[in-house]
């Protein structure tokens, strides 16, 4: 999956400066130098959860499966979702019943198959004539356990304690299952595959094969390629009781009534091996529960088949959704800064070190302010520890501010909205040999405001894994901390090893003395 960004950038020459008083100066009167901030420290930060619903944010993609690594936390990622119903659902329409349900006939409904459908994300191969699976990490040759449950937990869009506010779900919230699993085979062994076709046998209720349907899906009406999708067989009798047998009841009168009756499904992944798959819930072909059934009209006296009517009802996994991440407990050495998405780990960064005189301003900030520097550029660089697992390194990291209270307030660093996400950076960079080397953030405006004295607010910065799509629109200074990117990377801290360490470099100008 490729994302193309278009940004407007300003390319500076030597005469362009961003001075801390927001005025332009002539380069003939100033010396341009660089300095490395001495007080920077970086440490691991273990998080309990992240926002994981689609009420205030709409990530679109959700993770399902297991990720196992010796260097990072194992992840068991599950999904909870409501189902969408269509209007006027009926097992057989009234006109057909009026025509065929007579004193000498009877109609019997039988389930042909019921399954959970999960379309994979794909890319075209190099020849453009076949699909390859995309957005999967881990060992695709090994299965993880998948169970599908009905949930008894009501998914509410409004906060139960204050209906004037939106509700919110976190990645460690508990959603209670109702009854036993809906899948036919307990602990269904899920392995990703390129399967793109399903044949559904259509049976009369007395066990005679009436026909066969070949099921395929495509990305558009003009595409000749079938999209691969996963099929998880579900219990036919149970689904008939829960759905078809209730079509005429008040449970199916409205979507709200249905949401209270059938509150949603839990797709629960467990195990210590397998792969972690990102499924798109906003694509052209959506995840759904598919019910295929046949209505057979019989001659009552002879039990001969008069006619069959084949039907398919689809219930997309829509409405309120939430991700659930069960994370392994793991503690990392202080010299290995470990970042992992979902509800894994972040890092805390103190840019300027201690405040020994207790006046609320770090000593190094005061020293730099005294020099009255004109800030040209400020870049924070973080190097990858290539001795750790780098098979699933994130494409982008992100920096944000946190006041670290019990109920922390998160906010954007100024450069994100003043210069744009592309200039702000955090993208993966490679060295001359193509190895994954580092991430760099440009925080010029943020540093300029601090060193000019425009603000004394210099909170802890937090570093995390992020998806580039989450940065397409930054509308205000508030940062909402949610995460569906499971990738991980290990960085060096502030102590140099082989010349690589976390560094904050400032390019500045000082007035010439001669």
């Amino acid at each position: 999956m490729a994302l193309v960004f278009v940004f407007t950038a300003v390319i500076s020459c030597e005469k362009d400066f961003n001075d801390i008083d927001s005025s332009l100066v002539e380069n003939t009167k100033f010396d341009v130098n660089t300095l490395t901030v001495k007080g920077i420290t970086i440490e691991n930060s273990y998080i309990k959860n992240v926002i994981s619903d689609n009420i205030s944010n709409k990530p679109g993609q959700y993770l399902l499966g297991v990720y196992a690594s010796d260097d990072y936390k194992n992840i068991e990622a599950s999904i909870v979702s409501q189902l969408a119903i269509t209007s006027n659902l009926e097992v057989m329409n009234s006109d057909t019943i009026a025509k065929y349900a007579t004193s000498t006939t009877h109609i019997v409904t039988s389930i042909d198959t019921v399954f959970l459908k999960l379309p994979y994300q794909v890319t075209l191969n190099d020849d453009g004539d076949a699909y390859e699976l995309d957005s999967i990490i881990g060992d695709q040759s090994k299965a993880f356990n998948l169970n599908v449950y009905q949930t008894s937990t009501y998914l509410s869009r409004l906060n139960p304690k204050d209906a004037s506010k939106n509700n919110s779900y976190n990645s460690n919230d508990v959603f209670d299952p109702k009854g036993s699993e809906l899948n036919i085979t307990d602990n269904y062994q899920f392995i990703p595959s390129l399967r793109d076709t399903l044949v559904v046998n259509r049976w009369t209720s007395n066990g005679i094969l009436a026909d066969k349907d070949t099921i395929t899906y495509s990305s558009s009406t003009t595409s000749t390629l079938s999209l691969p999708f996963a099929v998880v067989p579900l219990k036919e009798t149970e689904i008939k009781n829960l759905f078809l047998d209730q079509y005429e009841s008040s449970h199916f009168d409205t979507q709200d009534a249905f949401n209270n009756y059938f509150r949603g499904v839990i797709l629960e992944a467990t195990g210590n091996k397998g792969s972690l798959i990102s499924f798109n819930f906003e694509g052209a072909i959506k995840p759904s529960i598919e019910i295929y059934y046949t209505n057979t009209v019989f001659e009552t006296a002879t039990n001969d088949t008069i006619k069959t009517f084949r039907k398919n009802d689809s219930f997309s996994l829509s409405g309120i959704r939430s991700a659930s991440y069960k994370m392994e407990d793991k503690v990392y050495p202080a010299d290995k800064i470990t970042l992992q998405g979902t509800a894994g780990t972040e890092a805390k960064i103190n840019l300027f070190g201690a405040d020994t005189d207790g006046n609320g301003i770090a000593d190094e900030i005061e020293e730099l302010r005294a020099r009255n520097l004109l800030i040209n550029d400020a870049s924070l660089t973080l190097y990858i520890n290539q001795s750790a697992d780098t098979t699933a390194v994130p494409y982008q990291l992100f920096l944000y501010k946190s006041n670290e209270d019990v109920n922390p307030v998160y906010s954007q660093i100024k450069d994100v909205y003043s210069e744009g996400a592309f200039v702000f950076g955090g993208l993966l960079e490679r060295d001359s040999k193509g190895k994954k080397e580092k991430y760099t953030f440009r925080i010029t405006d943020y540093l300029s405001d601090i060193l000019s004295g425009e603000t004394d607010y210099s909170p802890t910065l937090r570093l995390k894994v992020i998806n580039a799509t989450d940065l397409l629109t930054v509308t205000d200074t508030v940062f909402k901390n949610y995460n569906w990117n499971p990738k991980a990377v290990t960085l060096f801290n502030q102590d140099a090893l082989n010349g690589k360490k976390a560094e904050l470099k400032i390019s500045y100008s000082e007035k010439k003395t001669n």
Side-chain angles (χ1 to χ4, degrees), residues 40-44 333-337 381-383 385 490-497 500-503:
I40 183 172
T41 58
I42 178 170
E43 61 182 277
N44 289 305
D335 61 343
K336 290 185 177 180
I337 305 303
T381 301
L382 303 143
Y383 287 91
N385 184 338
T490 301
L491 307 172
F492 292 111
N493 67 2
Q494 68 279 355
D495 300 320
L497 182 63
K500 294 183 177 181
K501 63 177 181 178
E503 285 188 324

Side-chain angles (χ1 to χ4, degrees), residues 358-421:
N359 67 350
I361 303 172
D363 298 350
E364 193 164 6
I365 291 178
E366 293 180 303
E367 293 172 9
L368 293 172
R369 283 179 177 178
R371 295 174 61 178
N372 197 28
L373 303 177
L374 302 175
I375 305 303
N376 188 22
D377 182 78
S379 297
L380 175 64
T381 301
L382 303 143
Y383 287 91
I384 296 172
N385 184 338
Q386 295 176 350
S387 67
D389 182 1
T390 60
T391 56
V393 165
Y395 173 72
Q396 189 165 17
L397 302 181
F398 192 70
L399 272 177
Y400 65 100
K401 297 184 291 186
S402 171
N403 66 357
E404 297 298 297
D405 283 350
V406 174
N407 296 309
V409 175
Y410 302 139
S411 55
Q412 302 280 9
I413 292 173
K414 182 177 181 180
D415 298 72
V416 176
Y417 53 87
S418 64
E419 302 294 338

Side-chain angles (χ1 to χ4, degrees), residues 176-453:
D176 296 320
K178 181 179 181 179
S180 61
E181 67 280 348
L182 296 175
N183 38 299
I184 292 175
T185 304
D186 183 29
N187 288 329
Y188 177 80
Q189 296 298 284
F190 195 108
I191 296 179
S193 76
L194 283 165
R195 171 183 187 166
D196 61 7
T197 304
L198 177 68
V199 176
V200 175
N201 291 325
R202 297 292 199 160
W203 301 93
T204 64
S205 61
N206 57 359
I208 297 174
L209 181 64
D211 210 335
K212 292 184 178 183
D213 290 349
T214 301
I215 311 301
T216 61
Y217 303 96
S218 60
S219 58
S220 69
T221 56
T222 59
S223 176
T224 59
L225 295 176
S226 297
L227 291 167
F229 59 98
V231 171
V232 181
L234 303 180
K235 295 175 179 176
E236 296 170 3
T237 302
E238 184 76 10
I239 296 299
K240 183 176 182 295
N241 292 339
L242 288 168
F243 289 81
L244 271 63
D245 292 350
Q246 301 296 323
Y247 280 0
E248 302 300 322
S249 75
S250 60
H251 297 321
F252 281 79
D253 284 350
T254 65
Q255 183 67 57
D256 286 342
F258 178 77
N259 289 344
N260 190 49
Y261 160 65
F262 190 93
R263 298 187 167 185
V265 291
I266 303 170
L267 312 185
E268 182 186 71
T270 59
N272 55 13
K273 59 184 178 180
S275 57
L276 195 54
I277 309 161
S278 179
F279 288 104
N280 185 2
F281 280 68
E282 303 297 336
I285 309 299
K286 295 178 172 57
S288 61
I289 288 178
E290 300 290 326
I291 307 175
Y292 286 81
Y293 58 100
T294 300
N295 296 310
T296 306
V297 182
F298 290 101
E299 181 70 43
T300 302
T302 64
N303 210 36
D304 290 337
T305 300
I306 298 174
K307 194 173 181 62
T308 58
F309 297 90
R310 295 174 295 171
K311 291 200 69 177
N312 164 225
D313 295 333
S314 180
F315 299 86
S316 63
L317 275 64
S318 185
I320 298 173
R321 286 187 297 271
S322 186
S324 176
Y325 305 136
K326 184 178 179 181
M327 313 294 298
E328 175 192 15
D329 288 331
K330 184 173 283 191
V331 177
Y332 301 103
D335 61 343
K336 290 185 177 180
I337 305 303
T338 306
L339 305 179
Q340 186 173 16
T342 60
T345 48
E346 298 184 354
K348 293 193 295 185
I349 301 177
N350 182 336
L351 291 181
F352 295 101
D355 170 27
T356 58
D357 58 10
N359 67 350
I361 303 172
D363 298 350
E364 193 164 6
I365 291 178
E366 293 180 303
E367 293 172 9
L368 293 172
R369 283 179 177 178
R371 295 174 61 178
N372 197 28
L373 303 177
L374 302 175
I375 305 303
N376 188 22
D377 182 78
S379 297
L380 175 64
T381 301
L382 303 143
Y383 287 91
I384 296 172
N385 184 338
Q386 295 176 350
S387 67
D389 182 1
T390 60
T391 56
V393 165
Y395 173 72
Q396 189 165 17
L397 302 181
F398 192 70
L399 272 177
Y400 65 100
K401 297 184 291 186
S402 171
N403 66 357
E404 297 298 297
D405 283 350
V406 174
N407 296 309
V409 175
Y410 302 139
S411 55
Q412 302 280 9
I413 292 173
K414 182 177 181 180
D415 298 72
V416 176
Y417 53 87
S418 64
E419 302 294 338
F422 182 76
V423 175
F424 181 60
L427 299 176
L428 174 65
E429 301 175 43
R430 295 176 181 267
D431 62 19
S432 58
K433 296 180 180 178
K435 290 185 177 181
K436 301 161 187 175
E437 183 186 27
K438 62 183 178 180
Y439 300 88
T440 301
F441 294 91
R442 293 190 65 188
I443 53 175
T444 308
D445 294 346
Y446 174 66
L447 262 292
S448 295
D449 287 350
I450 292 174
L451 297 186
S452 70

Side-chain angles (χ1 to χ4, degrees), residues 18-252:
N18 178 22
D19 77 71
I20 57 178
D21 294 317
S22 300
S23 61
L24 292 176
V25 296
E26 291 297 328
N27 194 35
T28 57
K29 299 179 181 179
F30 289 80
D31 288 321
V32 178
N33 295 292
T34 61
L35 63 84
T36 300
V37 173
K38 296 175 292 185
I40 183 172
T41 58
I42 178 170
E43 61 182 277
N44 289 305
S45 177
Y46 302 91
I47 59 177
K48 294 181 179 179
N49 56 51
V50 291
I51 299 171
S52 59
D53 62 75
N54 66 337
I55 297 173
S56 56
N57 302 295
K58 297 187 182 299
Q61 300 191 37
Y62 292 82
L63 298 169
L64 182 67
V66 172
Y67 178 69
S69 169
D70 291 336
D71 289 338
Y72 304 108
K73 292 184 178 182
N74 291 356
I75 305 172
E76 294 172 315
S78 303
I79 302 169
V80 180
S81 178
Q82 292 178 327
L83 299 181
I85 63 171
T86 56
S87 59
N88 302 316
L89 276 168
E90 51 188 5
V91 175
M92 201 169 186
N93 68 62
S94 56
D95 290 342
T96 304
I97 293 174
K99 182 177 179 179
Y100 287 97
T102 67
S103 59
T104 60
T105 62
H106 63 280
I107 302 172
V108 179
T109 301
S110 56
I111 299 288
D112 298 312
T113 188
V114 183
F115 59 90
L116 170 68
K117 177 194 72 186
L118 295 169
Y120 293 106
Q121 298 193 74
V122 293
T123 56
L124 284 171
N125 64 9
D126 293 338
D127 295 328
D129 59 1
Y131 286 124
E132 297 176 348
L133 298 183
D134 191 23
S135 303
I136 303 176
I137 66 170
D139 189 347
Q140 297 184 43
S141 69
K142 292 184 172 62
F144 62 85
N145 303 321
L146 178 64
N147 290 297
V148 181
Y149 298 96
Q150 180 184 2
T151 181
S152 62
T153 303
Y154 180 73
L155 300 176
S156 175
R157 189 170 296 276
L158 300 179
N159 189 322
K161 296 180 180 179
D162 184 352
S164 66
K165 297 179 181 179
N166 280 337
N167 201 9
S168 180
Y169 293 102
N170 291 322
S171 58
N172 61 346
D173 284 346
V174 176
F175 299 89
D176 296 320
K178 181 179 181 179
S180 61
E181 67 280 348
L182 296 175
N183 38 299
I184 292 175
T185 304
D186 183 29
N187 288 329
Y188 177 80
Q189 296 298 284
F190 195 108
I191 296 179
S193 76
L194 283 165
R195 171 183 187 166
D196 61 7
T197 304
L198 177 68
V199 176
V200 175
N201 291 325
R202 297 292 199 160
W203 301 93
T204 64
S205 61
N206 57 359
I208 297 174
L209 181 64
D211 210 335
K212 292 184 178 183
D213 290 349
T214 301
I215 311 301
T216 61
Y217 303 96
S218 60
S219 58
S220 69
T221 56
T222 59
S223 176
T224 59
L225 295 176
S226 297
L227 291 167
F229 59 98
V231 171
V232 181
L234 303 180
K235 295 175 179 176
E236 296 170 3
T237 302
E238 184 76 10
I239 296 299
K240 183 176 182 295
N241 292 339
L242 288 168
F243 289 81
L244 271 63
D245 292 350
Q246 301 296 323
Y247 280 0
E248 302 300 322
S249 75
S250 60
H251 297 321
F252 281 79

